[in-house]
Amino acid sequence: MKKKALISACLMGVNCKYSGGNNLLPAEKLKKLMDEYELIPVCPECYGGLTTPRVPSERRDGGVYSKLGVDVTAEFAKGAEAALYLAKLLGAELAVLKENSPSCGSGTIYDGTFSGSLTAGDGVTAELLKENEILIIGESQI
């Protein structure tokens, strides 16, 4: 029986990215993951009730704000809780998450200025999963 891992749905080709597109991984990376893990696609932003497409958001000042200045922290937190629930329910000990995302980024995220600049930090979901001892890797670490 394969181990289970959460994966950002956009990395599997689901059009759930803020722009309406996806971040589909190269076939060889997906195959490598699927050989070892049963993958559980998640999109915390969608789980939190945000639409696709949606206005881009970034973390700053302890919250998450859209480019229009709307506080979407509650939606991001709700989506993170849903992802954690699935991880616990299904026994996932690993999550492969989209790098730099305000939900899924681990180690670096966009800095909240919408300039494309990065800063040290974690996305809301990555932070919650780490607090619950779920190992996070980004797509470049596959």
Side-chain angles (χ1 to χ4, degrees):
M1 187 154 120
K2 290 183 184 178
K3 296 177 278 186
K4 294 180 171 79
L6 297 184
I7 184 169
S8 294
C10 64
L11 297 176
M12 292 194 72
V14 176
N15 291 330
C16 57
K17 194 173 145 173
Y18 77 91
S19 63
N22 65 66
N23 296 302
L24 179 62
L25 288 171
E28 63 276 2
K29 284 191 175 194
L30 265 179
K31 182 179 180 339
K32 182 175 182 176
L33 286 172
M34 290 171 39
D35 284 349
E36 190 170 346
Y37 296 96
E38 180 180 335
L39 299 176
I40 304 156
V42 297
C43 180
E45 294 175 32
C46 293
Y47 291 171
L50 297 172
T51 62
T52 303
R54 58 190 164 274
V55 177
S57 299
E58 294 185 3
R59 286 193 90 173
R60 75 168 189 275
D61 304 325
V64 185
Y65 299 88
S66 79
K67 193 171 185 176
L68 300 176
V70 176
D71 184 342
V72 291
T73 306
E75 289 85 349
F76 275 70
K78 180 181 175 185
E81 289 289 344
L84 176 62
Y85 173 80
L86 281 174
K88 287 182 172 183
L89 179 71
L90 301 172
E93 297 176 2
L94 171 74
V96 182
L97 300 178
K98 178 68 187 112
E99 294 170 349
N100 307 323
S101 156
S103 288
C104 298
S106 178
T108 57
I109 54 173
Y110 291 107
D111 70 359
T113 64
F114 298 94
S115 64
S117 297
L118 297 173
T119 190
D122 291 327
V124 177
T125 298
E127 184 175 83
L128 183 62
L129 294 177
K130 283 181 179 181
E131 287 170 4
N132 284 271
E133 300 180 0
I134 295 171
L135 177 66
I136 309 296
I137 66 168
E139 71 270 19
S140 69
Q141 297 172 290
I142 301 168

